[in-house]
């Protein structure tokens, strides 16, 4: 378990070299490789590949048994996966700039189309990343990765890395992502950062980049209710706990597409619940601390603030018949409402009242002695029944996809012990029968 607390194209040689691995039987990982922290995860429809300092490993999602891939001697380990189209057989892998090569290793972009059993060195170079391939086969790559105070360099290849064309143009800032352009099929969008985040977009293959602040790019995105597992903390002395994936624990926890997950874990007692119209809609929830007690001698014990009846710390996301809705935690909604009313009053020249009303709201809630501080750990989770019918609209019969949110930022005080922040559950299903 790891904790996180507070946090010109390069001159390269382009060629295609087939570097097939030797024909050997698939071998399972060694015992000392099982607990090595994973660096990257590439989860596909039926299988998953992962990288670590021990190598590259593959598993079928049904069997959940790891096989270690035999790599060419010149292929560096500890690299990253590139972006590829959904359901594509193509795998892209590149070694990061800071990776130290051993004798005979060759940095660059490698490709595989047989789930990592054989690899091709598509293009040699020591400063690749990020890397992405589109549906039309165009391969894009930053060629001076992790540049600081230099213009970023990006190139595109139409022949899988044999030859490249510089499309850097007027780009600036540090590049941290590439993704398919949703407005111009066949083109790429670039995520950059320079004081704040930007999305760089072009109208055609001349790539005359137009820069938009990330927050303003496709603003309708902010109006969509998204499912995910947001996790945050806002107190300087409050740890943001992260639980890291290994080969041993990957299939036991909700890592899905990443190599880590929030260590404060919220889950429900099942993936599917069925109720009849008119019944009380309550589901069992469990909050536990994810920790590998085989490696850590003492369990970490944390605290949360909660109330048996007042659900001000709880919110809900739900989807019904293709439409998603969201009800934010009551305390968050109330504080936002006071803020908006205060802003409207000030715009009319009236005196502000935000701080006074917000303090009164918090004092009123904390005056309820039913609020309690509960403890949880890997050994002793916190459990309760949560009446989701008070949080979302389940009036119509049918199937709902649901996700819970918890938010204690305004209610808890770290000096009194509770952890302050927010986290969410995995998505589960609620069925309402007539």
């Amino acid at each position: 378990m790891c904790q996180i607390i507070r946090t010109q194209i390069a001159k390269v040689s382009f060629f295609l070299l087939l570097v097939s691995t030797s024909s050997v039987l698939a071998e399972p990982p060694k015992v000392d490789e099982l607990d090595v922290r994973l660096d990257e995860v590439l989860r596909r429809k039926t299988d998953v590949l992962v990288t670590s300092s021990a190598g590259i490993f593959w598993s079928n999602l049904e069997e959940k048994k790891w096989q270690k891939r035999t790599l060419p001697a010149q292929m560096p380990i500890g690299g990253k996966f590139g972006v590829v189209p959904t359901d594509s057989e193509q795998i892209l892998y590149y070694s990061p700039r800071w990776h130290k090569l051993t004798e005979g290793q060759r940095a660059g972009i490698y490709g595989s189309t047989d789930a990592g059993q054989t690899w091709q060195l598509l293009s040699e170079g020591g400063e690749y990343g990020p890397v992405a391939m589109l549906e039309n086969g165009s391969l894009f790559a930053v060629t001076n990765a992790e540049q600081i105070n230099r213009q970023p360099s990006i190139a595109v290849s139409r022949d899988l890395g044999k030859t490249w064309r510089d499309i850097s143009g007027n780009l600036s800032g540090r590049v941290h992502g590439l993704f398919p352009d949703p407005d111009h099929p066949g083109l790429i969008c670039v995520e950059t950062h320079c004081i704040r985040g930007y999305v760089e977009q072009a109208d055609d293959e001349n790539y005359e980049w137009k820069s938009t602040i990330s927050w303003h790019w496709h603003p309708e995105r902010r109006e969509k209710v998204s499912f995910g597992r947001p996790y945050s903390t806002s107190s300087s002395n409050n740890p943001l706990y992260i639980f890291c994936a290994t080969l041993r624990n990957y299939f036991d926890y909700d890592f899905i597409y990443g190599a880590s997950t929030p260590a404060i874990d919220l889950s429900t007692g099942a993936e599917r619940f069925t109720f009849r119209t008119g019944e009380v809609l309550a589901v069992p929830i469990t909050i536990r601390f994810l920790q590998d007690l085989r490696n850590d001698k003492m369990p970490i014990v944390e605290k949360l603030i909660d109330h048996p009846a007042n659900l001000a710390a709880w919110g809900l996301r739900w989807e019904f018949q293709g439409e998603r809705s969201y009800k934010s935690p009551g305390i968050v909604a109330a504080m936002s409402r006071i803020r908006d009313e205060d802003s409207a009053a000030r715009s009319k020249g009236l005196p502000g009242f935000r701080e006074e009303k917000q303090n009164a709201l918090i004092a009123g809630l904390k005056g309820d002695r039913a609020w309690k501080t509960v403890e949880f750990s890997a050994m002793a989770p916190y459990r309760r029944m949560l009446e989701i019918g008070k949080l979302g609209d389940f009036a119509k019969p049918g199937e709902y996809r649901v996700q819970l949110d918890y938010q204690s930022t305004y209610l808890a005080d770290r000096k009194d012990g509770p952890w302050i922040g927010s986290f969410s559950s995995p998505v589960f299903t609620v069925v309402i029968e007539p």
Side-chain angles (χ1 to χ4, degrees):
M1 200 281 296
C2 63
Q3 298 179 44
I4 296 177
I5 304 180
R6 307 175 275 257
T7 116
Q8 4 195 324
I9 292 183
K11 293 182 179 179
V12 291
S13 172
F14 301 114
F15 60 92
L16 182 65
L17 176 63
L18 180 64
V19 284
S20 299
T21 61
S22 58
S23 179
V24 295
L25 294 176
E27 295 184 357
K30 299 177 182 178
V31 174
D32 60 358
E33 295 172 334
L34 293 176
D35 294 314
V36 175
R37 177 181 173 180
L38 303 185
D39 296 321
E40 287 273 309
V41 175
L42 177 62
R43 185 148 173 156
R44 307 194 297 176
K45 187 175 182 179
T46 61
D47 64 1
V48 58
L49 288 98
V50 300
T51 69
S52 74
S53 59
I56 295 180
F57 301 84
W58 172 91
S59 176
N60 182 286
L61 292 179
E62 289 187 1
E63 297 178 357
K64 299 181 181 180
K65 294 181 180 180
W66 293 107
Q67 296 178 9
K68 186 173 184 178
R69 291 310 195 206
T70 302
L71 305 180
Q74 63 266 51
M75 185 172 171
I77 60 175
K80 295 178 175 292
F81 292 118
V83 176
V84 295
T86 303
D87 296 331
S88 172
E89 293 184 353
Q90 181 69 60
I91 299 171
L92 297 175
Y93 173 93
Y94 61 96
S95 53
R97 180 186 181 215
W98 59 87
H99 186 82
K100 293 183 179 180
L101 303 179
T102 60
E103 184 177 356
Q105 288 187 333
R106 304 164 75 173
I109 303 173
Y110 287 79
S112 175
T113 56
D114 56 8
Q117 297 184 74
T118 61
W119 294 88
Q120 295 174 320
L121 177 56
L122 305 179
S123 192
E124 186 171 10
E127 295 188 333
Y128 279 125
V131 172
M133 178 178 286
L134 302 186
E135 291 279 1
N136 62 10
S138 296
L139 177 61
F140 295 82
V142 175
T143 58
N144 62 341
E146 300 300 316
Q147 59 81 28
I148 298 177
N149 298 324
R150 290 189 294 155
Q151 182 184 15
S153 178
I154 296 182
V156 59
S157 174
R158 309 293 186 190
D159 52 15
L160 210 60
K162 292 181 180 179
T163 59
W164 296 80
R165 178 170 70 94
D166 184 1
I167 59 171
S168 307
N170 58 339
L171 280 179
S172 61
R174 178 178 175 180
V175 177
H176 59 87
L178 303 174
F179 63 92
D181 189 331
D183 304 316
H184 308 96
L187 301 186
I188 199 79
C189 282
V190 182
E191 294 178 282
T192 63
H193 191 273
C194 183
I195 301 178
R196 60 179 60 88
Y198 293 87
V199 174
E200 312 287 344
Q201 194 172 24
D203 293 330
D204 53 44
E205 292 189 1
N206 291 322
Y207 282 103
E208 295 180 1
W209 300 102
K210 298 177 181 178
S211 182
T212 305
I213 295 175
S214 298
W215 185 253
H216 299 307
W217 187 76
H218 276 288
E220 72 277 2
R221 292 175 304 154
R222 301 195 303 274
E223 299 173 3
K224 295 182 179 179
V225 177
S226 60
F227 288 131
R229 296 198 70 180
Y231 179 60
S232 67
T233 183
S234 57
S235 177
S236 59
N237 64 341
N238 204 41
L240 183 65
Y241 296 106
I242 300 297
F243 183 63
C244 299
T246 64
L247 294 177
R248 191 189 299 273
N249 68 26
Y250 178 78
F251 290 112
D252 295 332
Y253 300 96
D254 187 32
F255 292 110
I256 306 297
Y257 298 99
S260 64
T261 192
I264 297 178
D265 180 71
L266 166 64
S267 61
T268 55
E271 295 182 356
R272 189 179 184 88
F273 299 89
T274 300
F275 301 93
R276 290 194 177 276
T277 301
E279 286 185 336
V280 174
L281 274 61
V283 299
I285 65 166
T286 300
I287 299 176
R288 62 166 49 88
F289 199 99
L290 303 184
Q291 183 179 6
D292 190 342
L293 295 178
R294 291 167 303 194
N295 300 322
D296 300 328
K297 295 181 180 179
M298 295 294 294
I300 294 175
V301 179
E302 265 295 356
K303 301 176 181 179
L304 288 176
I305 187 171
D306 199 12
H307 193 289
N310 189 328
L311 302 183
W314 296 94
L316 198 72
R317 305 168 193 269
W318 68 96
E319 180 182 78
F320 181 69
Q321 296 182 347
E323 183 176 344
R324 291 187 182 180
S325 303
Y326 177 54
K327 183 176 181 179
S328 60
I331 181 63
V332 176
M335 298 293 271
S336 297
R337 185 166 54 252
I338 292 172
R339 179 197 61 209
D340 293 342
E341 292 172 351
D342 174 81
S343 178
R346 290 177 184 273
S347 68
K348 298 177 181 179
L350 301 175
F353 50 78
R354 175 177 175 177
E355 184 176 358
E356 179 183 355
K357 282 197 172 184
Q358 288 184 339
N359 289 340
L361 173 64
I362 295 172
L365 286 170
K366 289 185 175 181
D368 183 348
R369 294 186 178 182
W371 284 100
K372 59 182 179 179
T373 298
V374 298
E375 291 186 346
F376 64 97
S377 68
M379 297 293 291
Y382 167 57
R383 292 184 171 92
R384 65 164 292 179
M385 294 296 293
L386 193 70
E387 196 169 342
I388 60 173
K390 292 183 177 180
L391 298 172
D393 181 4
F394 298 93
K396 298 179 180 179
E399 187 169 297
Y400 297 75
R401 297 179 67 231
V402 182
Q403 184 177 40
L404 289 166
D405 284 348
Y406 173 89
Q407 168 69 272
S408 65
T409 301
Y410 299 107
L411 290 169
D413 191 336
R414 184 62 177 172
K415 71 177 185 291
D416 295 329
W419 185 87
I420 306 171
S422 64
F423 49 84
S424 301
S425 74
V427 176
F428 58 97
T429 300
V430 172
V431 178
I432 305 298
E433 296 181 345

